[in-house]
Amino acid sequence: MGASTVLIASMNFQSFGDTLITILGQDVAEQATEQKGDIVRIFATDTNATIGYNFFKSQQWVPELGEHNGKVDLTTAQVAALNAALKQQGFTPELVLDLTPKFVIGHIDTFEEHPDSDHLHVAQVTVDQGETLQIVVGAPNAALGQKVVVAKVGAFMPNGAIIWPGELRKVPSYGMMCAARELQLPNAPQRRGILIIPDSVPTGTAFDFAKGAQLVAAQNAQ
């Protein structure tokens, strides 16, 4: 599993005003900040790796965002403007736009019992671009051969959580198989269990939230 390019952006104008938050990496225990002008860099103290930037008074660089609340889908031009602002303030212009889908249709290729759990399983899941991810899953309805919705590393969940590489009982996991309720699809069942996708949907395609809502409605009608 190679390193992923991550650039997640969000605003909460209602709570924090005109501040654009960009995230490049996962939080660590020891981190620090440095501010130059209206930009704050957050970084890991041991490696100096950038975790993210906060752009105060962000409309001076991306005025079209306005009073936005929630995830921000930055454009190529907006990322270029933010990188120019970083360079102007003396930071490294290191924002890299990632347009690859983070919610994709995956196929469960292998499905084995977790070595240290009686309810978790370890799966190898083919996603987009021929990539295979190891994912630890605890859903009771997950099984070999299914097609599922995979939130890849860098996915910004509807509840605001971000998917990062992790471990469940010392077994690495590089994504999450999603339930309909975790995707906040309308009328999603409020119980444990991932959303199973029909076999006719091609592996590796981006998950369509509107079609997902239709699938849930059809399943509820059965």
Side-chain angles (χ1 to χ4, degrees):
M1 173 77 185
S4 297
T5 298
V6 174
L7 173 56
I8 300 167
S10 66
M11 288 185 71
N12 188 337
F13 195 94
Q14 184 175 358
S15 298
F16 304 116
D18 184 16
T19 300
L20 176 67
I21 298 170
T22 60
I23 300 170
L24 282 68
Q26 191 170 7
D27 277 337
V28 296
E30 299 293 334
Q31 58 189 50
T33 63
E34 58 176 328
Q35 181 166 357
K36 299 178 181 180
D38 290 325
I39 303 175
V40 173
R41 173 178 176 253
I42 303 96
F43 61 96
T45 54
D46 57 346
T47 65
N48 198 39
T50 301
I51 296 171
Y53 290 96
N54 292 341
F55 294 84
F56 299 120
K57 303 177 184 177
S58 65
Q59 291 189 45
Q60 62 188 297
W61 304 295
V62 282
E64 57 272 27
L65 294 183
E67 298 182 6
H68 188 87
N69 290 284
K71 183 176 182 290
V72 175
D73 294 317
L74 293 170
T75 66
T76 300
Q78 289 169 339
V79 171
L82 294 171
N83 274 326
L86 290 173
K87 184 175 181 180
Q88 183 181 41
Q89 295 297 331
F91 289 115
T92 300
E94 57 183 320
L95 304 185
V96 178
L97 185 62
D98 179 14
L99 295 176
T100 60
K102 296 303 180 185
F103 295 90
V104 301
I105 305 303
H107 180 272
I108 301 178
D109 300 325
T110 67
F111 192 75
E112 301 176 352
E113 292 185 359
H114 191 290
D116 188 34
S117 172
D118 59 2
H119 71 279
L120 296 175
H121 289 82
V122 182
Q124 300 295 326
V125 185
T126 296
V127 288
D128 54 329
Q129 303 180 55
E131 184 180 19
T132 299
L133 303 177
Q134 178 169 287
I135 299 177
V136 179
V137 59
N141 63 332
L144 180 67
Q146 290 173 336
K147 287 189 176 179
V148 298
V149 182
V150 174
K152 299 173 61 179
V153 170
F156 191 98
M157 299 297 294
N159 67 356
I162 299 172
I163 302 301
W164 298 110
E167 290 188 355
L168 280 82
R169 296 200 177 183
K170 299 183 180 180
V171 174
S173 186
Y174 300 99
M176 184 177 75
M177 301 184 205
C178 299
R181 59 185 172 83
E182 292 168 329
L183 298 167
Q184 294 188 4
L185 298 177
N187 300 310
Q190 297 303 304
R191 60 176 182 267
R192 294 185 63 217
I194 55 175
L195 178 64
I196 308 302
I197 301 299
D199 289 338
S200 58
V201 181
T203 299
T205 55
F207 175 64
D208 187 314
F209 279 76
K211 290 182 178 178
Q214 294 173 2
L215 176 60
V216 170
Q219 291 176 348
N220 288 340
Q222 294 177 355

